[in-house]
Amino acid sequence: MKEFKKESLLDMFLEQPEQFLSGEEISRRLSISRTAVWKQINKLRQAGYEFEALPRLGYRITDLPMPLEQEKLKTFLQGGMGRELHILSTTPSTQEDARRLAEEGAPEGTVVLAEEQTGGRGRMGKSFFSPYGKGVWMSIILRPSQPLHLVQQLTLLCGVAVQRGIRNMTGLAAGIKWPNDLLINDKKICGILLESKAEDDRVSYCIAGLGISANISKESYPEELQPIATSLKEESGRAVDRNDLILSVLHELEELYKIYNRDGFQPIASLWEASSITLNREVSVQSPAGVTTGKAVGLHPSGALLIEKSDGSHYPVFSGDIRISPVQKG
Amino acid sequence: MKEFKKESLLDMFLEQPEQFLSGEEISRRLSISRTAVWKQINKLRQAGYEFEALPRLGYRITDLPMPLEQEKLKTFLQGGMGRELHILSTTPSTQEDARRLAEEGAPEGTVVLAEEQTGGRGRMGKSFFSPYGKGVWMSIILRPSQPLHLVQQLTLLCGVAVQRGIRNMTGLAAGIKWPNDLLINDKKICGILLESKAEDDRVSYCIAGLGISANISKESYPEELQPIATSLKEESGRAVDRNDLILSVLHELEELYKIYNRDGFQPIASLWEASSITLNREVSVQSPAGVTTGKAVGLHPSGALLIEKSDGSHYPVFSGDIRISPVQKG
């Protein structure tokens, strides 16, 4: 009964996609209360539909959900990244799912995707906003042969892969903030978390976690994120097919990873530097030893960021948050 | 009934610890079959008792079990390594137990001990022989502030701690084979496995797994280990109280870890070099790039082993098995 009403509500909107329907009219035609109308609209919103709501005019449908499509993804992912593909509707964290699969012996290239994460994790224990149907919440199992002390190189490689995947698909050129945050117009479009497990200096596996804000509307963000986060839809003005975006990112990742395994880190470092917004800027870095400031001048072969201090010496930064000073007007 | 008989059997041996009891006499006094006598002796052996068995003479008790003593250990471990102590009778792997505890947020210094591991793990997926009551099967949670690319330093630190702990307790001077195998008379006395979990270059936790062969008799080893493994009891001629050994190792680990956190890796490297049997020897190393041979000349500040090749160049080895060439007679 409830399901029937929900479909009817949706049908009413889909019959006349451009037009507003007042709450009163919906209430009358479906014989349900105004509160029930409001609840059903919210349910559709959670499933990925979007509505514009205006006083007096009522509701108008503005966006349909574009679900993750297992068949399409499987057709285009053959044998490389995505060779084993797990698509979930909702999960606490794709990182945890991938970690379990890796422990059970899942091969390199195994990918876990979810429409929604209820406990998405970012770097340093921060939570990661991962609403239903609006982004790419993806974890990829890697089993690199490179030793543990070079794993920072993979962190940078992942950033480059997503930067290029987004550009190929949308034309948007995100900048990479060291090590691998992607920003457009100074706002974050993607977070990357590389988790590793090792025995001595031997890597057992890495889980690359990618969170790309595809179709999140500005007003859907929690208030504290609104000034610092954005989405591809907000920046390009149109919704992105997440399936195409996933394919674009995974193809880039596969290609870069092949280059890395064959030719080493140098070609990856060059691509990273070309998209970096950190290089040639004054930065400050918080580390256990205190705050270091200086000019970011390049990458160390290990993947560390080299900072030139005021005395001309170079200081390698391996981890931590860096702060980029505002550009000086000349 | 069975339990009563077992205790009677033990009582018979303990009344006259120096004397042999024939199977026939035991069988008669306990009114059980000769097969049952043999089975009960084996049960006692599994619980840590040892018997000498000689044709005609019968059995003589030679060693009593010395169990892990929670109270004693807790009294001497206050606030540092061992601040949280879990003692298990049997477990598949103390590494797995410690990993679960670390994921649940257990503090640095948490220690898991077991009388027996049924699925003990060594390096590179090898199994690790961990019989009941005969060794120190121990995993320690560390949460270092040093970045991931320096974690090899901790691998070496653990080797030094066990080497010194054994020496202080038994007088036996084991040699350290890079990175952290401990050998006495060219036979392995201890294996160490350092497992790490990291986010980017930040270490979430390390689990140091130590397996020290304390009181394993030569003949108890599986055949394939007999030529390459030994125990403290075999080398010193007397059984070791594992509780004292655990305290000795944990106190060394605590002290060295404090020095490391305060003064960095250099003092640890010096101690390692002083106990190394790898330095100044011709070694060959198998890596993905092929086999490298040369003379081991020292430690790189990162913890890598520096090998001097025949052309005089230095090559850092971060992981892998090294093979030490036999000493040339001069």
Side-chain angles (χ1 to χ4, degrees), chain A residues 26-44:
Chain A
I26 301 169
S27 163
R28 191 172 36 77
R29 281 173 58 182
L30 298 179
S31 309
I32 56 175
S33 71
R34 294 287 294 269
T35 310
V37 170
W38 180 78
K39 279 187 181 165
Q40 290 201 13
I41 297 263
N42 274 355
K43 237 184 185 168
L44 287 170

Side-chain angles (χ1 to χ4, degrees), chain B residues 117-164:
Chain B
Q117 293 184 109
T118 54
R121 288 191 288 109
R123 294 170 64 203
M124 299 180 226
K126 291 178 195 157
S127 68
F128 194 87
F129 181 57
S130 325
Y132 192 95
K134 295 298 174 193
V136 174
W137 324 128
M138 174 157 70
S139 295
I140 305 149
I141 297 176
L142 301 173
R143 297 189 180 273
S145 57
Q146 286 79 5
L148 183 64
H149 69 278
L150 295 181
V151 91
Q152 180 78 341
Q153 297 177 342
L154 274 184
T155 296
L156 301 175
L157 186 152
C158 288
V160 176
V162 179
Q163 198 274 347
R164 292 168 66 86

Side-chain angles (χ1 to χ4, degrees), chain B residues 44-154:
Chain B
L44 287 170
R45 276 183 168 145
Q46 277 168 23
Y49 293 88
E50 290 197 8
F51 296 90
E52 186 177 6
L54 289 181
R56 298 180 191 274
L57 287 170
Y59 303 94
R60 187 174 68 155
I61 197 159
T62 56
D63 204 1
L64 306 179
M66 292 183 286
L68 298 174
E69 293 172 54
Q70 172 125 345
E71 284 315 307
K72 177 173 182 178
L73 291 171
K74 286 216 162 158
T75 305
F76 288 97
L77 298 171
Q78 303 267 349
M81 295 296 163
R83 77 186 65 194
E84 203 181 301
L85 185 63
H86 302 260
I87 302 185
L88 308 168
S89 174
T90 184
T91 184
S93 158
T94 58
Q95 285 296 94
E96 278 310 299
D97 300 325
R99 192 189 62 72
R100 269 193 301 275
L101 290 166
E103 289 287 341
E104 290 163 10
E108 175 162 275
T110 297
V111 168
V112 180
L113 281 160
E115 291 283 9
E116 173 191 49
Q117 293 184 109
T118 54
R121 288 191 288 109
R123 294 170 64 203
M124 299 180 226
K126 291 178 195 157
S127 68
F128 194 87
F129 181 57
S130 325
Y132 192 95
K134 295 298 174 193
V136 174
W137 324 128
M138 174 157 70
S139 295
I140 305 149
I141 297 176
L142 301 173
R143 297 189 180 273
S145 57
Q146 286 79 5
L148 183 64
H149 69 278
L150 295 181
V151 91
Q152 180 78 341
Q153 297 177 342
L154 274 184

Side-chain angles (χ1 to χ4, degrees), chain A residues 96 99 103 121-125 145 147-152 155 179-180 192-202 204 288 318-321, chain B residues 96 99 103 121-125 145 147-152 155 179-180 192-202 204 288 318-321:
Chain A
E96 278 311 300
R99 191 190 63 72
E103 289 287 342
R121 289 191 287 110
R123 293 171 63 203
M124 298 179 226
S145 57
L148 183 65
H149 68 279
L150 295 180
V151 89
Q152 180 77 342
T155 296
N180 59 9
I192 300 177
L193 177 67
L194 192 83
E195 294 184 296
S196 308
K197 191 180 167 199
E199 287 184 9
D200 296 336
D201 198 47
R202 188 180 300 262
S204 312
F318 286 90
S319 68
D321 264 351
Chain B
E96 278 310 299
R99 192 189 62 72
E103 289 287 341
R121 288 191 288 109
R123 294 170 64 203
M124 299 180 226
S145 57
L148 183 64
H149 69 278
L150 295 181
V151 91
Q152 180 78 341
T155 296
N180 58 10
I192 300 178
L193 176 68
L194 192 83
E195 294 184 295
S196 308
K197 191 180 167 199
E199 288 183 10
D200 295 335
D201 198 46
R202 188 180 301 262
S204 311
F318 286 90
S319 68
D321 263 350

